[in-house]
């Protein structure tokens, strides 16, 4: 039975890693001295399945899902990825609301892209504000010229203007 036990446990381990949806171990089929090891393997199976499900959800952009419990050490890096993406979304929302001071100092290449986009948006906004101010000043000057022209022409009933 020992050789068969090792084979069953090895096949179970392969299923946990490569086909967790079909992984199954019946502890009652194991000799008594292997049952605790089998329970450990079942815990491993649970952790791997949780980690894969959590990873699939994150890959779909589902950031509000609850991470696996702390006892599942496999998911700790994905929990860090989730936290980084949540911070990124928060910064993107602030930027979308016009706060171009938002910068990212994590996520590598995404950091460079986001900070560049934020800088360009700020530059474009500043250029538009400057252009708006120029147009407003020009409109004010045109209104003054129009007012002067209207004042001059209002009293021109008997004038003869030669141009």
């Amino acid at each position: 039975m020992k050789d068969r036990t090792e084979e069953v446990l090895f096949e179970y381990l392969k299923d946990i890693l490569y086909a967790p949806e079909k992984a199954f171990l019946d502890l009652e089929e194991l000799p008594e001295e292997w049952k605790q090891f089998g329970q450990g393997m079942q815990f491993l199976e649970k952790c791997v399945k949780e980690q894969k499900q959590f990873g699939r959800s994150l890959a779909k952009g589902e950031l509000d899902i609850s991470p696996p419990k702390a006892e599942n050490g496999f998911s700790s890096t994905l929990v860090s990825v989730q936290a980084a993406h949540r911070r990124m979304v928060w910064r993107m929302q602030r930027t979308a609301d016009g706060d171009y001071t938002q910068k990212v100092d994590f996520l590598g290449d995404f950091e460079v892209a986001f900070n560049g986009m934020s800088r360009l948006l700020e530059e474009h906004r500043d250029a538009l504000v400057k252009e708006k101010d120029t147009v407003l000043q020009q409109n004010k000057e045109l209104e003054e010229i129009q007012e002067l022209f209207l004042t001059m022409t209002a009293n021109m009933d008997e004038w003869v203007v030669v141009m």
Side-chain angles (χ1 to χ4, degrees):
M1 178 69 177
K2 185 174 184 178
D3 291 338
R4 176 75 183 129
T5 299
E6 290 173 1
E7 183 181 315
V8 166
L9 290 172
F10 182 71
E11 289 302 314
Y12 180 53
L13 178 60
K14 283 188 348 188
D15 285 345
I16 289 171
L17 298 175
Y18 301 111
E21 66 284 347
K22 79 172 200 171
F24 175 75
L25 177 66
D26 184 358
L27 291 177
E28 296 304 315
E29 291 182 11
L30 296 178
E32 193 61 39
E33 65 269 15
W34 286 96
K35 286 188 180 184
Q36 187 175 7
F37 184 79
Q39 288 172 336
M41 296 279 287
Q42 287 178 330
F43 178 73
L44 174 66
E45 175 192 357
K46 175 183 173 273
C47 290
V48 168
K49 284 180 176 178
E50 286 177 350
Q51 186 267 346
K52 286 185 178 244
Q53 178 58 42
F54 186 57
R56 276 193 294 275
S57 296
L58 288 178
K60 292 178 190 173
E62 299 168 359
L63 300 179
D64 290 332
I65 59 169
S66 296
K69 295 182 176 146
E71 66 188 20
N72 184 344
F74 289 111
S75 297
S76 62
T77 53
L78 288 179
V79 170
S80 296
V81 168
Q82 179 188 37
H85 282 90
R86 282 181 172 169
R87 288 192 312 273
M88 186 70 233
V89 167
W90 184 86
R91 283 181 169 80
M92 290 173 79
Q93 289 169 338
R94 300 291 83 67
T95 301
D97 289 339
D99 179 3
Y100 303 121
T101 63
Q102 292 298 317
K103 301 291 181 252
V104 175
D105 55 1
F106 54 92
L107 295 178
D109 291 340
F110 197 80
E111 169 185 336
V112 173
F114 180 85
N115 292 343
M117 177 195 68
S118 186
R119 181 183 43 77
L120 285 174
L121 286 170
E122 186 172 26
E123 288 172 6
H124 287 288
R125 184 206 52 205
D126 291 347
L128 286 171
V129 166
K130 185 176 179 181
E131 186 176 335
K132 176 187 157 210
D133 290 344
T134 300
V135 168
L136 288 174
Q137 181 60 36
Q138 289 172 342
N139 283 346
K140 183 178 177 186
E141 290 170 6
L142 285 173
E143 286 173 3
E144 290 173 358
I145 291 170
Q146 180 183 17
E147 188 177 319
L148 177 62
F149 179 75
L150 290 174
T151 301
M152 287 176 55
T153 57
N155 298 322
M156 293 182 88
D157 293 340
E158 299 174 14
W159 289 19
V160 174
V161 176
V162 178
M163 296 185 154

